[in-house]
Amino acid sequence: MNAMMPLLFKAWRESRGRFLLSVTLLATICAAGVIFRGSLMKVFVPNASFVGAPYVGYIYRLVYGGAARGLFTILVMVLALGGLQRERLHRVVGFTLALPVSRARLAGAQALLGLGQVAALSALPLIVLGVGSRLAHVSYPLEQMWRFGLLWLAGGVVFFAVAFLAATLFRSEYAALAVSFVFMIFYPVTVMFPPLNRYPLNLHHIMSGLAMPYFDARRALLVGAPPWMLLVSMMAVAGALIVLAVQITSQRDYS
């Protein structure tokens, strides 16, 4: 672990600008949702479109099933960019490769830090909404925020892994990000058709609960037990993609 700490610090210095910007953007949309709820609720939950507390339906449509979730997906993919391909583009890769550590460790440290950042972003709405709602004297169930955070974490890890692999395969960060966006947009479309539509494969729906058996759309609440097997499977797929990216990094020529 001691040998890994300097590599994690190096990865942090490379990604901290993107991470702090991500925190700012996601926190802002959550905080603004609470502060300006009086006006926004008329837009997001018109004519009592949810059964139960209007504020619960409003937070779902704005955050967990709406704009904040889409922003989160984009941000975790941006966090996956960088690494040796970026250093190669900026002609500083020689310094990094001269360090007495393997390429696999370099890539592994970047992936490990990135996963930690994804976890932090997943939990951020819980903190901002929890504190903000209390200060504003409105209520959103804490248990719901934890469960949505878990869904965001699993989905975010998959999107991060896809972008991390793309950043390993392509020299240009723009190309890697473009491929990641294509995946984000068109993958959900492909799983709408038989035989894939028989299975819960739409990551956006898994994260938001939309059309999933563990989500009550009328009340905008997660119900029943979390889909543990589904979440574990998503983590396993993400882990396989990250391992593949690390293996490619260890064998690639960056000269």
Side-chain angles (χ1 to χ4, degrees), residues 159 180-190 204:
F159 282 113
S180 302
F181 271 108
V182 168
F183 172 81
M184 180 185 73
I185 295 171
F186 290 102
Y187 167 79
V189 176
T190 62
H204 299 290

Side-chain angles (χ1 to χ4, degrees), residues 79-219:
L79 287 174
L81 303 179
L84 293 177
Q85 290 285 42
R86 169 185 279 184
E87 295 186 11
R88 180 183 190 179
L89 180 64
H90 294 284
R91 303 183 183 276
V92 295
V93 71
F95 172 79
T96 300
L97 294 179
L99 296 174
V101 291
S102 67
R103 296 177 182 181
R105 281 205 169 191
L106 289 168
Q110 182 194 356
L112 183 60
L113 180 72
L115 293 175
Q117 292 172 336
V118 172
L121 288 181
S122 301
L124 186 61
L126 185 154
I127 299 171
V128 178
L129 292 175
V131 174
S133 296
R134 181 177 293 272
L135 292 175
H137 305 290
V138 287
S139 177
Y140 190 88
L142 178 63
E143 177 258 353
Q144 289 289 309
M145 291 189 283
W146 274 111
R147 295 181 64 178
F148 273 118
L150 182 63
L151 297 177
W152 276 30
L153 174 61
V157 165
V158 174
F159 282 113
F160 174 87
V162 170
F164 187 73
L165 178 59
T168 302
L169 294 174
F170 297 94
R171 294 188 179 186
S172 169
E173 285 186 323
Y174 298 107
L177 190 58
V179 169
S180 302
F181 271 108
V182 168
F183 172 81
M184 180 185 73
I185 295 171
F186 290 102
Y187 167 79
V189 176
T190 62
V191 298
M192 292 173 58
F193 299 97
L196 296 179
N197 62 347
R198 302 175 185 173
Y199 308 100
L201 297 176
N202 190 321
L203 294 175
H204 299 290
H205 287 182
I206 293 171
M207 293 168 66
S208 67
L210 183 64
M212 302 300 287
Y214 51 81
F215 181 69
D216 183 345
R218 290 287 294 157
R219 294 185 295 153

